[in-house]
Amino acid sequence: MRSSITLKTGETVDAASVYPAMAAHEFLFSMVQAHWTAAQNGNGNGNGNGNGPGVNMESVNKAQDELERIEQQIGKLEALPGQDSEASRQLRELRERVSGLRRQIDSQLDAWQRTELARHPQRPYLLDYIERIFTEWSEIHGDRNFADDAAIICGMARFHGEEVLIIGHQKARDTKQKVYRNFGMPNPEGYRKALRAMQFATKFDRPIFTFVDTPGAYPGIGAEERGQGEAIARNLREMAKLRVPIVTTITGEGGSGGALAIAASDRVLMMENSVYSVISPEGCASIMWRDPAKRDVAAQAMRITAKDLEEMDCIDGIVQEPEGGAHRDHEAAAGLLDAALQKHLSDLKLLAVGDLVEQRYQKFRKMGQFYRVEG
C-alpha cells in the first residue's frame, strides 16, 4: 500500500511523485523571490506615502504568506515514507532557501514597517504569553480607590515553579473586547492598580515581570481629572525603590509615559519587531511636518526599533521572534521569550538587594547623556 498526501491544490501526491511536486514548489519559490527582488528595486507599489519607491507592508506580508504555504507543503512532502536520500536532500535545501529568504525579508524591514508589525492584530498579547509561559495564573482587580482598569492586567503566577507577579497592557482583537480593554490605553486607576500589585510583590519578595504593549496612556478628560500624570509619575518614583527584581518586555508598541510607567525596571527587553518611543510616528510627523503621511520618515528619525535602542543603551536586550514575526507562531514566540526571561531573572537574583536598587537607579540616570565639544 502506497502512502500519499493531498496538497493544498487538491492534488494527491505519493512518494513516487515527490520530484514533480518539489519542482512545482521550486518554481513557486523562484516566483516569490523574483517578486521580492523587484519590490526591493522599486518596481513594486512603493511605500504608500508618496515619498518614493520602496517595499510596502503589503508586499512583505504577501511574500511571507507565500513562503509559509511553501513551507507547509514541504513539510507534507517530508512526511511521506519511502523517499530516497536525494529527494530528502533536495527538500532540505529548498526549506533552507525558504528560511534564508524569510530572514532576508525580516532584516530589511525599516522602522515604519516594524511599527506596523508591532501593531499587527494577530500578534500575541499578554494573555497569550501568560497561557504559554506561566502557570497558576490568578488575576488581581481594582486600585481600591476608583475602579478596575481592563487595559492593564495584574496577577500572581508561577514561572518555572517560582512565585512571581505579572503586570502588563492588554489589547484585544474584536470590537467588543477592544472597547472593554480601551484599546490598550490605561486610565490612572490602571497604573494605581499596577503599583498596588508591585507593592504586594515587594512585601512577599516576588520577582516582577511587566509587559508593555500600548499606544500610550489614555488622554481623555476623565483620565486627566483623576490624575493621569500623577499616577505615572508616582509609579516611576516607586518602581525605582522596589527591592525585588523587575524584568520588562516590550512586546508590541511602547508608547511614551504610558509604557514607561511600568517599565522602570532592572532589565528592559524588546521583542525583535516591537517599537519604543516618546510619541507615535504619526504624531511626530503631524508636529514636525504637519503631515501624518510622513510617518515613515518620522519613524526612521526617532530611532524607535529594538536595534536602534540597543545601540543607544536604552534597553538591555532583544528577544528574537520566529521567522516572519511573532504573529505567525505564538508558540515559538513564547518559547523564545521564556528563555530570555529565565536568563535575565537568574542574573538579577545573584545581586544583593542594595546593589539591585542602586544599579536600577544608575541605569536610568545614565540615559540621555551628552557631551559638549568646544571648537
Side-chain angles (χ1 to χ4, degrees):
M1 180 177 179
R2 298 201 310 182
S3 299
S4 64
I5 58 170
T6 302
L7 299 180
K8 207 166 183 105
T9 58
E11 176 188 1
T12 299
V13 177
D14 57 23
S17 306
V18 166
Y19 286 103
M22 196 160 32
H25 295 316
E26 180 89 27
F27 174 74
L28 288 175
F29 173 77
S30 299
M31 292 294 291
V32 173
Q33 195 171 36
H35 289 155
W36 174 250
T37 302
Q40 283 182 288
N41 293 334
N43 298 325
N45 296 326
N47 54 23
N49 62 8
N51 293 329
V55 181
N56 61 18
M57 278 307 294
E58 184 179 354
S59 299
V60 172
N61 289 332
K62 185 175 180 180
Q64 293 283 17
D65 288 342
E66 291 295 335
L67 291 175
E68 186 172 357
R69 280 194 284 270
I70 293 171
E71 278 189 327
Q72 289 172 354
Q73 299 306 319
I74 291 173
K76 290 182 178 180
L77 291 175
E78 288 176 331
L80 279 174
Q83 297 179 37
D84 57 34
S85 58
E86 178 62 19
S88 298
R89 184 188 65 79
Q90 290 187 26
L91 284 171
R92 282 196 304 272
E93 287 183 357
L94 182 56
R95 183 180 286 279
E96 288 170 3
R97 289 174 62 194
V98 170
S99 295
L101 184 55
R102 272 189 181 278
R103 289 192 294 271
Q104 181 185 347
I105 293 172
D106 289 344
S107 68
Q108 295 179 0
L109 297 177
D110 62 26
W112 172 246
Q113 289 165 342
R114 292 196 187 277
T115 302
E116 291 188 286
L117 281 180
R119 297 172 177 174
H120 197 286
Q122 296 306 315
R123 194 170 179 81
Y125 297 142
L126 176 52
L127 287 175
D128 298 313
Y129 285 120
I130 289 174
E131 179 184 349
R132 291 164 173 81
I133 297 176
F134 302 93
T135 58
E136 298 184 32
W137 162 250
S138 178
E139 189 169 354
I140 297 172
H141 293 278
D143 67 342
R144 292 188 174 175
N145 183 39
F146 181 76
D148 183 38
D149 186 357
I152 282 189
I153 59 176
C154 310
M156 300 168 288
R158 288 187 182 273
F159 180 63
H160 296 277
E162 181 175 4
E163 293 180 334
V164 298
L165 186 91
I166 302 169
I167 298 169
H169 303 96
Q170 177 65 30
K171 290 182 176 179
R173 295 187 175 91
D174 63 74
T175 303
K176 184 177 180 180
Q177 281 294 309
K178 284 179 180 179
V179 172
Y180 174 66
R181 300 291 180 185
N182 200 32
F183 298 87
M185 296 184 290
N187 282 283
E189 50 270 21
Y191 295 115
R192 292 179 180 128
K193 175 174 68 171
L195 180 57
R196 179 169 81 87
M198 286 187 274
Q199 291 168 339
F200 174 89
T202 301
K203 180 179 179 180
F204 292 98
D205 197 28
R206 294 185 176 184
I208 300 171
F209 290 115
T210 71
F211 298 85
V212 173
D213 188 10
T214 179
Y218 186 59
I221 293 175
E224 297 299 335
E225 289 175 342
R226 297 193 298 277
Q228 185 75 285
E230 185 275 339
I232 293 172
R234 183 179 293 272
N235 276 25
L236 296 178
R237 185 188 72 182
E238 296 301 320
M239 286 187 77
K241 300 186 293 183
L242 294 178
R243 298 173 67 82
V244 293
I246 313 171
V247 180
T248 292
T249 307
I250 316 294
T251 59
E253 291 181 275
S256 193
L260 192 59
I262 61 169
S265 311
D266 301 296
R267 295 287 188 272
V268 179
L269 312 177
M270 287 183 69
M271 299 295 286
E272 182 182 4
N273 291 314
S274 62
V275 293
Y276 196 19
S277 63
V278 70
I279 190 173
S280 69
E282 299 94 326
C284 176
S286 296
I287 293 170
M288 295 298 296
W289 299 288
R290 302 195 182 281
D291 182 6
K294 293 184 180 292
R295 57 200 180 188
D296 63 317
V297 180
Q300 200 69 32
M302 289 195 297
R303 302 192 68 187
I304 63 177
T305 67
K307 183 179 178 182
D308 289 332
L309 291 165
E310 186 178 46
E311 289 174 356
M312 295 188 290
D313 291 327
C314 291
I315 63 169
D316 302 292
I318 299 174
V319 181
Q320 297 301 313
E321 296 186 15
E323 292 175 357
H327 60 284
R328 295 188 175 274
D329 192 338
H330 290 194
E331 295 291 342
L336 292 165
L337 178 55
D338 187 357
L341 295 179
Q342 286 188 68
K343 175 185 179 300
H344 286 278
L345 180 59
S346 297
D347 293 344
L348 292 172
K349 287 166 67 177
L350 297 175
L351 299 175
V353 172
D355 294 336
L356 184 75
V357 175
E358 178 62 21
Q359 286 186 20
R360 185 188 309 150
Y361 175 77
Q362 293 300 331
K363 164 191 171 71
F364 286 94
R365 287 290 293 170
K366 290 176 182 177
M367 289 184 188
Q369 291 186 356
F370 67 94
Y371 301 91
R372 189 175 307 225
V373 179
E374 300 295 339

